Amino acid sequence: MNDSCPPELLQLVSNGDQTAFRHLYACFYKRLYHFALALVKTRESAEEIVEDVFVRIWQQKENLPSIRNIRVYLYTATKNSSLNYLSQKARQSITEPFDHIHVGLNDSSVTPEQILITAEIHQKIQKAVEALPPRCKMIFKLVREDGLKYKEIAEILNISVNTIDAQMAIAVKRISTSIESDFDFPIGNKKTKSTNG
């Protein structure tokens, strides 16, 4: 579902419209859940964290129209709640490999052999991503999996766009190098910032 949120929807929620609130919830819940899960590592805790974020949104719904970017606001609230949880539980953060790393295939006619090779590449990518430094891994996930723009991630994580660009370059280089070391063909270099104005 498109996670863009028109200002009219926030206005409706701020007026106590429960249908509008359910629409807002449906737009963002899944991605926020995966974001929290990457931080806290347990599904139950991730679910509770995101539920609590939305409970607070409803409790403070009168303030919604003043929020400039609801997506950044929700990701930041989820991040802060997740870090608070980790602080209380004294657990390590951001060490679990990602479950959904997308491998793009330009050719629609794929042979069984290519499928096997692709599966191997997929496993190699997962291992390579798992080996990335924590912040690099989180940035890679937010860009490639959640589709956030660099400036949005910069606001959420309180870092510069240049830092994100550098971290993405590191991530792509490490993943490509890891894959190329096990296969006899180069992985095409793709611009990491081509659609991230």
Side-chain angles (χ1 to χ4, degrees):
M1 182 178 292
N2 190 351
D3 60 359
S4 61
C5 185
E8 312 88 70
L9 182 65
L10 296 183
Q11 186 63 56
L12 287 171
V13 176
S14 72
N15 292 337
D17 188 324
Q18 294 187 11
T19 300
F21 178 74
R22 284 194 292 270
H23 181 67
L24 179 69
Y25 180 93
C27 280
F28 288 100
Y29 177 83
K30 188 174 181 180
R31 289 189 177 189
L32 293 175
Y33 163 75
H34 285 295
F35 181 52
L37 182 60
L39 287 163
V40 302
K41 306 299 178 295
T42 63
R43 294 185 179 188
E44 296 80 5
S45 300
E47 289 171 356
E48 288 178 11
I49 285 167
V50 179
E51 294 285 354
D52 287 345
V53 166
F54 278 102
V55 167
R56 290 197 300 272
I57 286 288
W58 181 254
Q59 290 173 341
Q60 302 170 15
K61 56 184 177 294
E62 296 82 7
N63 300 326
L64 281 177
S66 65
I67 295 175
R68 181 171 51 86
N69 187 326
I70 187 64
R71 180 161 76 163
V72 169
Y73 182 89
L74 289 171
Y75 270 94
T76 301
T78 302
K79 180 198 74 171
N80 291 339
S81 295
S82 298
L83 294 180
N84 287 338
Y85 168 85
L86 289 170
S87 178
Q88 293 168 1
K89 299 296 183 181
R91 292 183 178 182
Q92 277 190 321
S93 65
I94 323 174
T95 55
E96 189 175 63
F98 303 125
D99 294 328
H100 309 290
I101 301 299
H102 303 292
V103 179
L105 288 176
N106 294 325
D107 191 355
S108 58
S109 56
V110 183
T111 66
E113 182 181 357
Q114 288 173 315
I115 291 173
L116 288 175
I117 292 174
T118 301
E120 290 183 52
I121 293 174
H122 180 83
Q123 291 177 346
K124 288 293 179 183
I125 288 175
Q126 287 183 312
K127 289 180 181 178
V129 171
E130 182 180 359
L132 291 173
R135 184 169 68 166
C136 188
K137 182 193 294 187
M138 177 58 67
I139 291 170
F140 183 85
K141 177 184 183 299
L142 290 173
V143 172
R144 290 298 175 88
E145 188 174 321
D146 290 3
L148 269 69
K149 295 180 179 179
Y150 283 24
K151 61 183 179 181
E152 291 177 328
I153 300 170
E155 190 169 344
I156 292 167
L157 300 182
N158 296 318
I159 56 179
S160 71
V161 171
N162 288 339
T163 297
I164 295 169
D165 198 22
Q167 291 291 309
M168 281 298 293
I170 291 169
V172 171
K173 183 177 180 181
R174 288 193 182 192
I175 292 169
S176 298
T177 300
S178 176
I179 296 171
E180 289 171 1
S181 66
D182 289 283
F183 295 95
D184 294 328
F185 58 87
I187 304 300
N189 290 325
K190 296 182 178 180
K191 296 290 183 181
T192 60
K193 201 175 177 182
S194 59
T195 60
N196 257 292

